[in-house]
Every structure is written in structure tokens, then in C-alpha cells.
Amino acid sequence: MALTNIQYDEIMHDYENRRNYHRNELNTKIREIEDHVPGYLVLSQSTGSISADFGRRLLLGENLRRGKLHEMLADVATRKKQLLTEAGYPADYLDMKYDCPICRDTGYVNGEKCSCFRQRIIERLYAQSNIRKMTESANFSVLSEEYYRGEDLERFRGAVRTSKDFIKNFESSYPNLFFYGTVGTGKSFLSVCVAKEILDKGHSVLYFSAVSLFALLQTYSFDFKKTEELSTLYDDLYNTDLLIIDDLGTEHITNNSIPQLFSCINERLLRNRSTIITTNLSLDDIKAMYSDRVFSRIASSYRVCKLTGDDIRIQKKMQFKNGK
């Protein structure tokens, strides 16, 4: 299930379009500043003449200290930023902008695919993992406590705090989250909220419902023609920066799915990759259905958050029905 040449070319063409967009955006800003900020154009033009004069003096045999040209150009750059701020513009107004500052919209860092490139691959290879679309309606900006009361509210607030700690520590301690509890209490919602923040930090996120994940694994495992696809899937499951397995327990559990789950959880722990699992099952159910080994890894290596309350989806339907 590797990228086809056409898919690869599409991604690279998209990067080229993004670079062109930001380059044109910067050129427009430069023209604006040159037209409206007195003295800026003269300073910009002086850069070329300073470099040319410095080179001429070197050719004539003048003994010039190394680094002098750099200092002269840096002084011009500082004066240009001063002109910007004095005119009411941010000092970085004319800095080049990028969708991904890590790779500067090239897709590669030191010859390796950037995390933003890996995310684009994920989105093309796994249609059901369209996490970016999900984050449009599930993110911290629309977080609401409206549907929680009493102890349920305290648990929800605790889960939100834990989620934000997860994001804060994501790049340093490789945390894991396990959301469990009653149906419709915000477990999947919180996992997507976290995913958005991790994506915004430039990391790759792979989302699967448990049903779709284990169905895909089963399909590839029993079809000898899909050996390459299975290998690629495992590579992505083990190495993506954040893996979300949603609604664990809704899949068809088989003798193969349990070791597959353990392998996924265990390999990601060994590779310092973060995982979020959501489920309506209790912890006792997890132990009974998935083995002591799976339960032990989750209990020892995941922050466990329980969410309870009435089904939010039903509450919203009732409000709509009552005209609220």
C-alpha cells in the first residue's frame, strides 16, 4: 500500500503550490512596504551595492576583516525592521511564511520525509483516517461543559486537564491516554481535540476506529497478495507520532486480533510513540476480553481517564426536539 508515483507527484505538486503561494504573498507585502514606508526601498537597494563594494575592495587588495560584510548587512536588516515597527507593522512582517516551518514546505528534512509529508501519506492511504476533517467540529475551541453535572462534570474536567498535559508533554515524555466509560460522554471528542493540537505542532496522526483497523488487518493478513500492504500498515501503526484507536471493543474479536492489539501497543511503547485508546468497556472487561498482557500494558503505561454521564448525542436530540 505504498504511494503510487501519481500520488507522490500530487503531494510534491501541492508543496510546490504552497511555496509559490507564500512567495507571491511575500512579494505582495514587499511591494506594499516599499510603496508606503519611506526609506525602506532605499535600504533594500543598498544591500546589493554594499556587497558589490565590499567585493571590489577585496579585489583591490584591501585588508578587510572576515565577518565585516555580514555585520554591515545585519545592520541594514536591523534598520529595515526598525522602519517596519515605526510604521506600525510587526518586525517579522516580511519574513517568509510556511505551512510547515519544520521542512519549509519542501516535504523533507535532512533527506528524510518530514512529519507533514508522512501525514499526507496517511491521509491518502487510509481514507477512514481523515482526522483533519474531524478536527473541524471537534477541537478545544468548541469544548463545552453544558452536558455534565456533579461527579460527571468533575471527571470531564479531569480528563480535559489530562488531555492538555498530554499535549504539553507530547514531545518530551511520549505519553499515552486511555479514555473509558459510558457511551456518548466525550471520549472520542477529546481524542480528536488532542489530535488537532498534535497536528498543529507538525506531528503525524493516524486515526482508526477499532472496527476499521482490525478489519483492515484481517483482510491483509489472509490475502497473500497483500503482503506489502500489511507490512506498510504495520510500519505506519508502529511509527506514526500519534495513533488513535477509537471505540475499542466494537470490533469483531478473534484469536488474531488480540495478539495484533498487544503487538501494536507494545511496539509503540518500545519505540516511544504515543497512543490514545477510547472504549465503552470497563477495565475489568478489557482484562477479560483482551488478555492480562494487554491490560498490564495499558494499566502501567497509560493515563487512565473515566468519563460518565448521559449520552450527549441523546441530550442534543432532546434539546432540538424541544426547540431549545
Side-chain angles (χ1 to χ4, degrees):
M1 198 165 56
L3 284 178
T4 65
N5 289 335
I6 292 175
Q7 288 173 320
Y8 179 86
D9 290 343
E10 287 174 347
I11 293 176
M12 296 308 295
H13 183 64
D14 183 52
Y15 276 119
E16 182 181 359
N17 286 340
R18 289 171 185 271
R19 292 195 301 274
N20 288 335
Y21 171 82
H22 289 299
R23 193 177 298 115
N24 291 335
E25 180 184 51
L26 177 60
N27 289 335
T28 299
K29 288 181 177 180
I30 290 173
R31 289 192 295 271
E32 173 194 351
I33 295 302
E34 290 176 345
D35 290 343
H36 295 93
V37 178
Y40 192 91
L41 178 58
V42 174
L43 270 178
S44 293
Q45 292 173 336
S46 71
T47 300
S49 60
I50 289 172
S51 298
D53 181 63
F54 193 87
R56 180 183 59 79
R57 292 165 63 187
L58 284 175
L59 289 173
L60 291 175
E62 189 172 344
N63 185 20
L64 297 173
R65 178 174 55 84
R66 287 188 176 186
K68 179 64 176 177
L69 177 60
H70 175 76
E71 292 173 3
M72 295 167 67
L73 295 177
D75 179 62
V76 171
T78 299
R79 289 158 59 195
K80 287 166 70 176
K81 287 187 181 295
Q82 288 175 344
L83 287 179
L84 284 177
T85 56
E86 288 170 1
Y89 291 91
D92 64 350
Y93 187 67
L94 294 183
D95 290 354
M96 186 70 173
K97 300 296 187 294
Y98 303 98
D99 285 2
C100 178
I102 299 173
C103 69
R104 297 188 173 188
D105 295 339
T106 64
Y108 285 84
V109 180
N110 298 324
E112 299 290 334
K113 289 186 178 69
C114 181
S115 56
C116 69
F117 198 122
R118 296 200 304 272
Q119 186 62 29
R120 291 170 190 274
I121 294 174
I122 285 169
E123 290 166 1
R124 278 166 171 76
L125 295 185
Y126 309 107
Q128 67 271 47
S129 190
N130 192 8
I131 192 69
R132 288 190 188 275
K133 184 69 175 176
M134 298 168 70
T135 61
E136 293 175 8
S137 57
N139 55 74
F140 284 114
S141 69
V142 296
L143 193 71
S144 173
E145 298 180 349
E146 177 183 357
Y147 302 100
Y148 302 91
R149 300 288 184 274
E151 186 179 33
D152 299 334
L153 177 58
E154 290 307 309
R155 284 175 170 162
F156 177 71
R157 287 174 174 171
V160 172
R161 287 194 298 270
T162 299
S163 297
K164 292 183 176 180
D165 285 342
F166 178 98
I167 296 162
K168 179 181 178 181
N169 299 316
F170 184 80
E171 295 170 334
S172 58
S173 61
Y174 319 107
N176 302 286
L177 280 175
F178 184 81
F179 292 122
Y180 79 104
T182 49
V183 176
T185 49
K187 300 182 294 295
S188 298
F189 179 90
L190 275 179
S191 72
V192 177
C193 288
V194 171
K196 181 184 186 306
E197 301 299 316
I198 300 304
L199 284 168
D200 289 348
K201 286 175 176 283
H203 297 285
S204 58
V205 178
L206 180 55
Y207 167 92
F208 275 110
S209 69
V211 170
S212 61
L213 172 59
F214 289 103
L216 197 59
L217 283 169
Q218 184 167 345
T219 298
Y220 291 163
S221 297
F222 290 98
D223 188 340
F224 72 93
K225 296 180 181 179
K226 296 187 179 293
T227 302
E228 182 181 355
E229 285 88 341
L230 180 62
S231 176
T232 301
L233 176 56
Y234 273 123
D235 185 58
D236 291 335
L237 288 175
Y238 294 162
N239 292 309
T240 192
D241 296 329
L242 173 61
L243 171 66
I244 299 175
I245 303 176
D246 195 27
D247 272 341
L248 185 69
T250 56
E251 77 281 5
H252 176 59
I253 299 174
T254 66
N255 290 333
N256 289 320
S257 63
I258 294 174
Q260 285 170 338
L261 176 62
F262 175 79
S263 176
C264 183
I265 291 174
N266 195 54
E267 278 295 326
R268 291 186 61 78
L269 288 172
L270 293 173
R271 301 183 190 204
N272 289 327
R273 295 291 188 266
S274 295
T275 307
I276 298 177
I277 297 174
T278 77
T279 183
N280 297 328
L281 300 174
S282 69
L283 291 175
D284 287 340
D285 290 336
I286 293 293
K287 188 173 185 178
M289 295 171 63
Y290 292 100
S291 79
D292 289 340
R293 291 200 307 167
V294 170
F295 175 81
S296 175
R297 290 295 187 275
I298 292 173
S300 62
S301 304
Y302 284 61
R303 289 288 300 275
V304 176
C305 296
K306 184 177 183 179
L307 289 166
T308 55
D310 296 330
D311 191 326
I312 293 174
R313 289 178 288 264
I314 293 177
Q315 292 187 65
K316 287 182 176 180
K317 286 180 180 179
M318 292 299 295
Q319 284 184 350
F320 179 79
K321 183 178 180 180
N322 295 330
K324 294 183 179 180

